[in-house]
Amino acid sequence: MTATPPTAAAEAPRRATRGFRSIKGRETWAGLGMMAPAGLLLILFLIIPVILAFTLSFTNARLISPNPPRFVGLDNFTRAFTMDPTFLQSAWNTFLFALVVVPVQAALGLLLAVLVNRRMRGVTAFRVIFFIPVVTSIVVVSILWKFMYQKDGLINSFIDAITFGAWSGVDWLNNPSTALGAIIVLSIWQAVGFHMIIWLSGLQTIPEELYEAAKMDGASPWRQFTNVTWPGLRPTMVFVLVTITIAALGLFVQVDVMTQGGPVNSTSTIVFHAVRKGYQQQEIGYAAAISLIFFVAVLIIALVQRRLTREKG
């Protein structure tokens, strides 16, 4: 008995299935091919450095040394907290900087966003003006402000003019009591425009009908802000606070350009201290341990901040 050949109707579903699998396979390979460059860069410049830093933090590795690295266990971490007062000072400076910058910069950004969210002539120009410092190189901004902070610089000259000579100039960056504050002012001014744009995008997602209903109920502008604007900005607020916190804790460029951690380590930060130990003093193992401490601290702060700002229920 001979087998009857399959009919065209029976073969059609099989051909369709094979064609579908072929198309899915090509799409999968195409997706992997497009993902490969970004994945390779991620592995080379993120995953491998993180693994390497974690490994080196438990050794006495030096940047240039004929001796091979030796495993020292937790000695680097013990040294940081018990035998390195500069690290403790840097940690204090870093968290003090973040403690001031995060609320002030977030509040100023929100205020500017509310002001430029109005329908008025020239508002686009104000948005651009406030955003210009963000797109300007932080190195260039730091150099300019360094000249402005000099004893005979623009800031002291301006204060002298408005006080009619009653103000004696301050050498802002060479005074331990004012150096960190001067960097705080610069940092807030430089980055507030970015967070203004983030707040502005959040404001423009709030339906106009909510404000119209609040006005019909006789709500004052302040009541409109507290009952309509602020609740609508909650997701934006979480993003702004987390990004400002991470950026503030990673303070480096301004310190490196303007003060080199001085005077008397009054502006040294954790990141700057790690770079100084790793590259200037060539203690790569110890610098890796500082970086690991910094990573854990930032992670804990971000998780706590996220938990405190999450929506209830």
Side-chain angles (χ1 to χ4, degrees):
M1 181 176 180
T2 59
T4 59
T7 63
E11 278 292 324
R14 298 177 185 175
R15 287 198 299 267
T17 302
R18 287 196 296 268
F20 177 75
R21 290 175 179 173
S22 177
I23 293 173
K24 289 292 290 183
R26 287 197 298 269
E27 290 179 350
T28 300
W29 283 108
L32 291 175
M34 288 186 286
M35 187 185 70
L40 181 62
L41 292 176
L42 191 67
I43 293 172
L44 288 177
F45 296 104
L46 180 63
I47 297 177
I48 291 178
V50 167
I51 296 175
L52 186 61
F54 181 81
T55 304
L56 290 175
S57 64
F58 297 97
T59 70
N60 66 343
R62 296 187 64 85
L63 186 61
I64 300 175
S65 174
N67 301 319
R70 180 172 54 85
F71 180 77
V72 295
L74 299 176
D75 288 357
N76 288 328
F77 301 94
T78 303
R79 173 187 171 187
F81 288 104
T82 61
M83 295 181 289
D84 188 359
T86 303
F87 169 78
L88 298 178
Q89 179 66 45
S90 300
W92 167 249
N93 293 339
T94 300
F95 292 113
L96 178 61
F97 179 88
L99 191 65
V100 176
V101 167
V102 172
V104 174
Q105 191 165 288
L108 282 178
L110 177 58
L111 176 62
L112 292 177
V114 171
L115 292 177
V116 300
N117 194 38
R118 302 173 182 272
R119 295 176 181 175
M120 51 183 284
R121 180 177 298 179
V123 69
T124 303
F126 283 104
R127 295 178 184 177
V128 172
I129 291 172
F130 292 140
F131 194 71
I132 284 176
V134 179
V135 297
T136 305
S137 169
I138 185 60
V139 176
V140 174
V141 170
S142 299
I143 292 174
L144 292 176
W145 277 71
K146 182 177 181 179
F147 286 116
M148 292 170 57
Y149 276 134
Q150 290 179 350
K151 195 167 185 178
D152 56 349
L154 181 63
I155 293 178
N156 281 333
S157 299
F158 175 75
I159 296 176
D160 180 72
I162 63 175
T163 59
F164 302 102
W167 173 272
S168 58
V170 175
D171 197 355
W172 299 94
L173 297 177
N174 289 319
N175 188 335
S177 62
T178 59
L180 185 61
I183 293 178
I184 288 174
V185 172
L186 155 67
S187 301
I188 292 174
W189 174 86
Q190 190 271 335
V192 70
F194 172 75
H195 297 98
M196 176 199 73
I197 295 297
I198 303 300
W199 284 119
L200 183 62
S201 66
L203 286 172
Q204 294 179 349
T205 62
I206 302 175
E208 190 67 28
E209 293 80 7
L210 296 179
Y211 291 104
E212 293 176 358
K215 291 176 183 177
M216 292 178 62
D217 290 339
S220 64
W222 176 249
R223 298 289 294 179
Q224 293 178 37
F225 178 82
T226 56
N227 294 334
V228 179
T229 304
W230 186 244
L233 288 176
R234 188 175 187 83
T236 307
M237 179 264 292
V238 174
F239 176 79
V240 167
L241 289 181
V242 171
T243 53
I244 295 178
T245 301
I246 294 175
L249 293 175
L251 174 66
F252 171 75
V253 176
Q254 299 93 307
V255 174
D256 187 49
V257 172
M258 301 176 73
T259 62
Q260 288 290 303
V264 201
N265 294 318
S266 61
T267 60
S268 178
T269 63
I270 296 179
V271 175
F272 179 80
H273 187 53
V275 172
R276 177 170 52 189
K277 283 293 183 183
Y279 292 98
Q280 292 184 5
Q281 302 177 17
Q282 302 186 6
E283 298 183 63
I284 287 294
Y286 183 52
I290 295 175
S291 300
L292 186 58
I293 294 171
F294 173 73
F295 168 77
V296 173
V298 172
L299 180 63
I300 292 173
I301 292 173
L303 291 175
V304 170
Q305 195 175 54
R306 179 68 184 90
R307 183 176 181 83
L308 293 176
T309 55
R310 69 178 181 178
E311 293 191 36
K312 304 294 188 297

